[in-house]
Amino acid sequence: MKESVNSESITEHAQKASPNPISFADLFEAVVEAMILVDASGKIVMANATAQELCGYTLNELCKLEVEALIPQRFREHHREYRKHYLAHPRKRPMGNNRNLVLLHRDGHEIGVDISLSPVTLQHQIYVLLALNTVDRCSQAEYALHESQERLWLIKQMVNVGIFDIDCVNRRIYCDERLRELCGNSIDEMDDLIAVVHTDDRARCQAAYDKAINPRMGGEFRVQFRIVQNSDLQSDQQQERWLTIFGETQFEMGKAKRIVGIARDVTQRKQREKKLQQYRNETEALFKQQVAMLTASAIAHELNSPLTAISAYSEVALHALNETPTDCGSMKNAIKSCFEQAQLAGHKLYELLNFLQNNTVESEVLDLNQVIEDALLLARGDGYGDFILVLDLESKLPAVRANRFQIQRVLVNLIRNAVEAMRSARVSVSEIRISVTTLALEKMAMVSIIDNGPGIDPETLKRIFKPFFTTKPTGLGVGLSISRALIEANGGRLWMDPDYKQGARFHFTLPFA
């Protein structure tokens, strides 16, 4: 049986082998680094004071342990295999191939370490000397920061975003490379950013920033605008990119200190939305045109026969008047037939309109506030969302009784008309205010849609609800007339405020359930 070797026998052997009065144990203890000596079986035979302090054990306690006791449980089997391979070809080398290693403290917490291995031969036996260096907190922090930066870089590449940090006190902007690339300019101050924003979007961008730094508005910085690249070129050579900004404001002592957020390039999405909206508009215009043609054809078909008869009977009446003496009997019969055919024409027209309108309106009890929010989503989905929305809803509004689909269509039509009017007038900051109020005496809810567009001139106002009257180049002039008919079919009323001069203001009412 091979005699076991402990720290004392190793020290004695080292003293005999060297005439130097300094003992091996003295040298071992003098080393600043944590040193642990392990035999071929993996048992710890020596450890200096630094190693004892690092591991949380006394020397006697360490000398009763295998080296794997200082390794987290999840790595122990792998380490035993590693130790066998190392002893087959021992050499001085670092352990872990530059990976971060961990040492298990006696109390269970893990310590980041670098480990170097050196083979030592004593009394014809091979030992392994472990030199342990703790990874300091600074290095750990640097490593964690490096990993965090790598993850952030990967995320930014995947979602195509830039990052910004706005110093609200000094109006300075700190941008990453991606955001500078998107802006195509040197962005160091808020004024620099505003300068590259499209002229039509600057007021909206500034309004969103002013809202974000207002402590009473929640601190959300959210806005979509166009960036003009190569601003020194002519307008037809400039490149426009759409950016969406999402940021959060940090306040200190009631004042905005900084805004941190991301900017995302949504140019391709906006181009696809624009193309899709063009298809929708063309399809909708074609559909309306076809409906109008079919409706006119149906009306003409139904009225053609009575009108032909009226024309014939009128001719008979005129012929009777020219007779001498006047043929009163023939004239009386002709006029009577004209009256009957006119009545028939009116009846046919009434039946046709009844069929087209389908007078049976399926109404239900509705939360009007929710219907308005759903209509806003529909309008934005149709490409009519480029405006600042101000909602003034009543939190305890009683339910109304109406047809959900028809009311949504009226709201979408009014919102769409407002957006198109503001677009055509190139309003710098487009705003739509939607409010709901209770008319207690009438037992109705009143919805108001107000825009800050160019308004409507008095001549147009006289004809605005007439069918087939329009001021749009591609319009059919049926939107507002149909909207009024739908509201009236639901028991309400739709009108426009003629005295409002700061834009256009429409109102409609609906009865409470």
Side-chain angles (χ1 to χ4, degrees), residues 354-410:
N354 238 5
F355 171 75
L356 291 174
Q357 292 179 355
N358 191 11
N359 278 338
T360 56
V361 176
E362 295 183 3
S363 60
E364 57 182 308
V365 176
L366 298 176
D367 178 354
L368 187 54
N369 291 341
Q370 186 62 53
V371 174
I372 292 172
E373 292 178 359
D374 292 343
L376 284 166
L377 290 176
L378 289 173
R380 293 186 188 279
D382 289 341
Y384 294 91
D386 51 339
F387 59 87
I388 297 174
L389 173 66
V390 180
L391 271 180
D392 185 14
L393 307 179
E394 285 198 10
S395 58
K396 297 182 180 180
L397 183 74
V400 299
R401 180 172 291 279
N403 181 277
R404 179 187 300 271
F405 174 76
Q406 292 179 348
I407 303 307
Q408 283 182 351
R409 293 315 305 169
V410 171

Side-chain angles (χ1 to χ4, degrees), residues 3-14 24 37 39 43-47 59-60 63 122-123 125 127:
E3 182 181 0
S4 62
V5 182
N6 56 30
S7 59
E8 293 179 359
S9 61
I10 291 175
T11 303
E12 291 173 359
H13 177 77
F24 179 81
L37 192 65
D39 65 17
K43 183 180 178 182
I44 298 174
V45 295
M46 287 190 72
L59 178 59
N60 289 335
C63 291
L122 294 173
Q123 298 179 348
Q125 293 189 35
Y127 297 86

Side-chain angles (χ1 to χ4, degrees), residues 216-262:
R216 294 175 294 180
M217 302 301 290
E220 183 183 64
F221 186 32
R222 183 168 183 171
V223 64
Q224 191 172 92
F225 54 85
R226 286 164 291 178
I227 289 290
V228 180
Q229 297 182 341
N230 299 326
S231 57
D232 55 328
L233 300 177
Q234 295 180 356
S235 59
D236 58 345
Q237 296 176 316
Q238 294 175 356
Q239 296 180 355
E240 292 182 359
R241 303 199 69 84
W242 279 93
L243 295 188
T244 297
I245 295 290
F246 298 95
E248 192 73 25
T249 308
Q250 298 177 8
F251 294 95
E252 190 175 278
M253 304 294 290
K255 294 184 179 180
K257 182 179 179 183
R258 61 190 299 202
I259 303 176
V260 180
I262 61 173

Side-chain angles (χ1 to χ4, degrees), residues 20-38:
N20 196 313
I22 300 177
S23 68
F24 179 81
D26 292 337
L27 288 172
F28 202 72
E29 288 293 340
V31 178
V32 176
E33 294 177 328
M35 307 290 288
I36 296 177
L37 192 65
V38 181

Side-chain angles (χ1 to χ4, degrees), residues 313-362:
Y313 289 129
S314 298
E315 188 176 355
V316 171
L318 288 173
H319 182 73
L321 283 173
N322 292 328
E323 291 289 329
T324 304
T326 303
D327 189 352
C328 293
S330 296
M331 187 172 65
K332 183 178 179 180
N333 289 334
I335 293 174
K336 181 181 177 183
S337 297
C338 283
F339 173 76
E340 290 173 350
Q341 290 298 320
Q343 289 288 325
L344 177 62
H347 183 67
K348 284 180 175 289
L349 182 60
Y350 178 77
E351 284 184 343
L352 180 61
L353 292 176
N354 238 5
F355 171 75
L356 291 174
Q357 292 179 355
N358 191 11
N359 278 338
T360 56
V361 176
E362 295 183 3

